Amino acid sequence: MSIPTRRLDRDTTDLLLDGDPNALNRAGRLAALLRALCGPARPHELAGEPAAVAAFLARLTRRRPPRPPPQTARRRSG
């Protein structure tokens, strides 16, 4: 059994992600999936958040200073 597919244009995609009720009403099965995904997080889904934030912040503070831009060859005048 094949499932019919339709491509979404950028405007429709933005409307779906913003939760626009008119776009969701036209989106069929995709709308059901998006509605399920946009609910609040469950406690077990956030269990590792403090450790992830701590690891991110630790890495952020160890960041190397940015490299200077590469020098380009200079032309000699005259």
Side-chain angles (χ1 to χ4, degrees), residues 42-60:
R42 296 181 181 124
H44 72 276
E45 295 173 327
L46 300 175
E49 183 181 19
V53 171
F56 174 79
L57 293 174
R59 178 68 177 115
L60 185 64

Side-chain angles (χ1 to χ4, degrees), residues 35-76:
R35 285 184 179 112
L37 292 173
C38 71
R42 296 181 181 124
H44 72 276
E45 295 173 327
L46 300 175
E49 183 181 19
V53 171
F56 174 79
L57 293 174
R59 178 68 177 115
L60 185 64
T61 59
R62 293 191 316 240
R63 185 178 284 175
R64 295 183 205 147
R67 292 183 181 176
Q71 294 184 358
T72 58
R74 294 185 182 168
R75 291 185 165 188
R76 295 183 184 215

Side-chain angles (χ1 to χ4, degrees), residues 6-57:
R6 292 182 295 185
R7 290 196 178 260
L8 299 173
D9 61 40
R10 184 180 209 113
D11 292 334
T12 303
T13 304
D14 286 339
L15 290 171
L16 287 169
L17 293 175
D18 288 341
D20 180 87
N22 292 325
L24 287 168
N25 286 338
R26 295 187 313 261
R29 291 174 28 179
L30 176 60
L33 175 64
L34 292 174
R35 285 184 179 112
L37 292 173
C38 71
R42 296 181 181 124
H44 72 276
E45 295 173 327
L46 300 175
E49 183 181 19
V53 171
F56 174 79
L57 293 174

